[in-house]
Amino acid sequence: MTSTLTSPPVRFTGDRLAGLDGLRAIAVTLVVLFHVGAGLLPGGYLGVDIFFPVSGFLITSLLLRERTATGGIDVLGFWRRRARRLLPALALVLLACGAAAFFVGGDVLVGIGRQMLGASTFSYNWLAIADGGSYLDATTPELFRNLWSLAVEEQFYLVWPLLVVLLWAVPSRRFRLGFVLLVAAASALGMALLAADGATTRVYYGTDTHSFGLALGAALAIVRHDWPGALLPTTRRERAFVGAGGLVAVAALVAIAMWMPESGSSMYEGGLARVAVFSVIAIACVTVPGSLLGRSLDAQPLRWIGERSYGLYLWHWPVFVLVTAAQPSDASALVTALAAVAITVVVSALSYRFVEQPIRRIGLRAGASRFTRQWRRDHWGRDRAAFTRATVVSVAAVAALALSIGAIASDPGDGLAEARIRAGAAAIAEAEAREAAEATPAPTVAPDLPSGDKITAIGDSVMLAVAPELTAAFPGISIDAVVSRQMSAAPGIVQGLVDSKQMRPYLLLGLGTNGSISADTLQKVKDIVGRRTQIVLVDVQAPRGWTDGVNTILHGYADRMRTVELARWQEAIQPRLDLLAQDQIHAGGPVGGGIYVGAVSDALTRLVEQPELNGGPHDSGDKIAER
């Protein structure tokens, strides 16, 4: 998303286009709050989808302005300018954070070589797709995960100038605009269709399925160029209408960031496309000459943030991951977030002042030549202070490179949570093999608890991570747990088990980590299992914005229903968060898994101790009213 953050202003009327820095400031603030705010803005990730239209608009405007002024487009020159603007800050982030990761160690080193390769070759998004990674998955905190969008934009910069040259070989203005709008529609439709088939990671990271924002921004630039007076208001009423439209668009973007969750299908099936449309409306309105909204968005500190938003975006996520990993497990989330934001602002400002701006003025080649020439001159004692600075910079760069290589070499392969999940899957497979061979060991559960062969467990990666402890405590238990599963999948799974007569007398349901839930879904599950199956719901421990809401629904439902009990996993693990993996979600070892099993056992005990249920599972009315 970088040229949206760094491109020089486009001039249509001789005046600077006010408001774009403000839009960039809003976008980067949304993304930062989404990442460090532990659910403060559930839809803050859409800041990226504000940057995309701004980028498409600015880059296309620059290309068309060059064509108008010179009669052609210097594609190689365009690529050189992009490299000058983007590479220095990116290289600094990769080297500095790679070196810091070497000292922090642990999960931040997982896959760091692939990440640095993807970031430095602008192919991060496609490497992540090939690796099966997800932008919204927190099992392993990828250090440079945010750079997927940089890859999308760089691929756009590579192809789009060539397409502009070809498009302007066609004399029809309507054809050019229609072609770009068709590209945008095809991209949005591709996202919706593929997401419906479950390929959410593919459509979110894919350049083809996530380029509608870039195309819509380019379309706006084409309209401004080919129909220069079409979007410019001439009367007071028109100016008022445009101002109101821009204000509504900006307000809509902020509102969507507050309510559109990162889980669910709505974001793929038109949600992100709507963000792109509102962004284009905002761009069109704030860049109108004399726009009051544009001048308002251009005020300090929004303009200051917008000018440095490229660096803020590059630095904020790796800094947050490193600070989180370096903190004790019981550290305050607020303190961690504030520390990450403070460091991000400082290093971004320094990068802008001492790296980005100087190279922007003189270029990469000239900057390297000047540095080398100065170092050699200083080597002969002409300027000891400059010689010292050059030496320090050179030594620091070599050290950072060496430490980054060391970080790559120290990659443990699997993160702690991922290793536990793999172990859980292996434990389930082993238990199923024992059961198939009729070699189930003697029960190890308390005599007053149901044996494992009476329990069906359905869950997500949290349950998968504690599967070794569950299978040991409840031999014969049937566990169906899958990474990233949501509660919305439960009714279909339960219906299949009931239809095949595989549902057992007790259902352990551990879902809700990956998104919001509804009481209606829980009721559907209960209606399907009927009177013969009692349910244990496991509440959620996760630093996510939906956690409190999920637990409120789970607690309330369990309190109301006689044959439903709650396994209080969050309450049980809170005093020992050090027993969780770095993501603060999955049990990090057998002791944490034992606490999970203890919470489940307590819930089962409460079920069997209900006098009215001692005769076996039966109808469940209101728990409070009937006890």
Side-chain angles (χ1 to χ4, degrees), residues 227-253:
W227 293 272
L231 299 178
L232 298 180
T234 57
T235 67
R236 178 178 298 180
R237 177 176 295 181
E238 288 177 351
R239 286 192 291 271
F241 178 80
V242 168
L247 185 61
V248 169
V250 172
L253 291 172

Side-chain angles (χ1 to χ4, degrees), residues 32 40 69 78 83 133 146 182 187 198 224-225 250 254 272 307 315 373 398 511 528 552 592:
V32 171
L40 182 62
F78 170 82
N146 60 317
L182 181 62
S187 177
R224 279 276 178 86
H225 179 271
V250 172
V254 176
L272 295 180
E307 290 172 344
W315 284 98
R373 195 165 54 249
V398 172
L511 295 169
I528 293 170
T552 297

Side-chain angles (χ1 to χ4, degrees), residues 269-616:
E269 297 173 355
L272 295 180
R274 285 193 294 272
V275 171
V277 171
F278 280 124
S279 298
V280 168
I281 294 173
I283 296 166
C285 293
V286 304
T287 56
V288 168
S291 168
L292 177 61
L293 179 60
R295 292 198 301 271
S296 300
L297 290 177
D298 215 31
Q300 297 288 3
L302 289 177
R303 184 171 175 178
W304 189 93
I305 296 173
E307 290 172 344
R308 292 156 183 80
S309 52
Y310 175 44
L312 291 168
Y313 182 81
L314 287 183
W315 284 98
H316 84 279
W317 176 249
V319 166
F320 177 65
V321 170
L322 291 168
V323 171
T324 301
Q327 292 280 351
S329 59
D330 58 350
S332 166
L334 177 61
V335 172
T336 300
L338 291 176
V341 170
I343 294 172
T344 296
V345 171
V346 170
V347 295
S348 299
L350 293 174
S351 172
Y352 182 79
R353 170 67 178 81
F354 295 106
V355 177
E356 298 170 51
Q357 287 297 91
I359 294 179
R360 178 179 178 177
R361 287 193 297 268
I362 64 176
L364 285 169
R365 184 180 300 178
S369 176
R370 176 181 294 184
F371 179 82
T372 303
R373 195 165 54 249
Q374 183 183 40
W375 193 91
R376 288 177 179 172
R377 184 172 64 249
D378 295 336
H379 180 71
W380 295 98
R382 297 184 180 181
D383 188 338
R384 293 184 180 181
F387 172 75
T388 301
R389 288 195 299 270
T391 302
V392 169
V393 170
S394 300
V395 171
V398 172
L401 178 61
L403 291 171
S404 296
I405 294 173
I408 295 172
S410 303
D411 183 350
D414 285 341
L416 181 57
E418 187 175 358
R420 287 287 298 171
I421 290 170
R422 290 184 188 276
I428 293 172
E430 182 181 350
E432 290 175 347
R434 280 201 310 267
E435 185 175 352
E438 297 182 349
T440 302
T444 59
V445 299
D448 57 339
L449 290 180
S451 58
D453 58 2
K454 295 183 179 179
I455 304 173
T456 296
I458 299 172
D460 51 28
S461 60
V462 175
M463 182 179 288
L464 198 55
V466 300
E469 290 72 41
L470 280 174
T471 56
F474 301 97
I477 186 174
S478 173
I479 301 178
D480 179 357
V482 176
V483 174
S484 298
R485 178 180 282 165
Q486 298 196 33
M487 184 66 80
S488 58
I493 299 171
V494 171
Q495 186 67 64
L497 292 171
V498 170
D499 291 345
S500 61
K501 302 187 185 304
Q502 297 182 60
M503 179 58 67
R504 298 178 179 184
Y506 295 89
L507 171 61
L508 176 62
L509 196 59
L511 295 169
T513 307
N514 299 299
S516 57
I517 69 172
S518 73
D520 290 342
T521 302
L522 298 177
Q523 188 60 45
K524 286 180 183 178
V525 170
K526 189 169 183 319
D527 291 341
I528 293 170
V529 299
R531 304 178 180 182
R532 304 297 302 176
T533 298
Q534 299 176 58
I535 301 175
V536 172
L537 302 173
V538 185
D539 67 4
V540 174
Q541 159 57 40
R544 295 291 179 268
W546 57 77
T547 296
D548 291 342
V550 167
N551 285 341
T552 297
I553 292 174
L554 292 174
H555 287 229
Y557 191 81
D559 285 343
R560 291 195 306 272
M561 310 308 292
R562 287 170 55 198
T563 53
V564 179
E565 279 293 343
L566 186 75
R568 299 178 180 274
W569 159 239
Q570 186 189 48
E571 178 183 306
I573 197 62
Q574 277 295 315
R576 295 301 311 273
L577 291 178
D578 59 302
L579 298 175
L580 295 177
Q582 185 176 315
D583 60 10
Q584 295 291 282
I585 297 174
H586 301 85
V591 179
I595 292 177
Y596 185 100
V597 170
V600 171
S601 298
D602 290 344
L604 287 170
T605 299
R606 291 193 295 273
L607 272 181
V608 300
E609 285 181 350
Q610 295 184 49
E612 63 271 32
L613 297 178
N614 283 339

